Amino acid sequence: MDSLIAWAAWLEATALGEQMRSSALLYPAVNLLHLLGLVLLLGPMLLLDARLLGAGRSFPLAAVSRTLTPLAVAGLLLLLGSGVCLFAADAGPLAVDRLLQLKLLLIALGIGNALLFRRLWNARLGDWDTYAPLFGRMQAALSLLIWLLVMSLGRLLAYF
């Protein structure tokens, strides 16, 4: 925890932190990019997870995954980059905020769940059109829960 606090203090004191605090346009612009990243991640993830759970069976799962996964990855990368910039503006107090700490933990769990899912199931997604394994469906449901919680915690940070 001490290393996170030290890193946060350093980040807040950088030129990035100073620019994020002092520019009238930079913080709102990065906030909009963060929102775009959220839409690009959550939209495809919600659709893909819903398909993994059995919705839209007329669409082949492998094709849905190939189409939506790159959008979700782009959204995640945009969220991570813009999130660091937004964090830099007020990193010291945010580093000790329990909501942010929980959000970061859930982001790590969400990424870990997605990577594990890809490792376990990616080569067999075509089989899901006839039979979706219970553990895989549980991972899809967990993904939905995690990313909705991440989004909710992100919004709550502005109020608590």
Side-chain angles (χ1 to χ4, degrees):
M1 182 65 135
D2 290 339
S3 60
L4 173 64
I5 293 171
W7 178 76
W10 170 82
L11 182 62
E12 190 174 335
T14 64
L16 174 63
E18 176 60 33
Q19 281 298 310
M20 290 299 296
R21 282 188 305 280
S22 64
S23 172
L25 297 177
L26 187 58
Y27 192 93
V30 172
N31 205 7
L32 289 173
L33 285 175
H34 200 66
L35 183 59
L36 175 62
L38 182 67
V39 169
L40 284 173
L41 173 66
L42 284 182
M45 285 302 304
L46 294 175
L47 291 171
L48 181 56
D49 287 339
R51 176 60 190 89
L52 290 167
L53 291 169
R57 291 179 190 225
S58 62
F59 300 101
L61 181 55
V64 170
S65 179
R66 270 192 315 275
T67 302
L68 296 178
T69 299
L71 292 171
V73 170
L76 178 63
L77 293 174
L78 189 55
L79 278 168
L80 293 173
S82 61
V84 168
C85 292
L86 294 170
F87 179 72
D90 201 24
L94 284 173
V96 295
D97 188 307
R98 294 287 184 213
L99 286 178
L100 182 72
Q101 292 171 1
L102 180 57
K103 178 183 174 180
L104 294 175
L105 174 64
L106 287 170
I107 290 169
L109 287 173
I111 292 170
N113 184 54
L115 292 173
L116 179 61
F117 185 91
R118 289 287 164 195
R119 179 148 175 93
L120 294 175
W121 307 112
N122 201 46
R124 296 180 274 177
L125 283 180
D127 299 340
W128 282 52
D129 289 330
T130 55
Y131 171 74
L134 176 62
F135 183 68
R137 286 182 285 141
M138 289 172 55
Q139 278 188 277
L142 180 62
S143 173
L144 279 171
L145 177 64
I146 288 171
W147 292 113
L148 289 172
L149 284 171
V150 166
M151 175 192 67
S152 299
L153 289 171
R155 285 306 307 143
L156 291 174
L157 280 170
Y159 300 101
F160 296 103

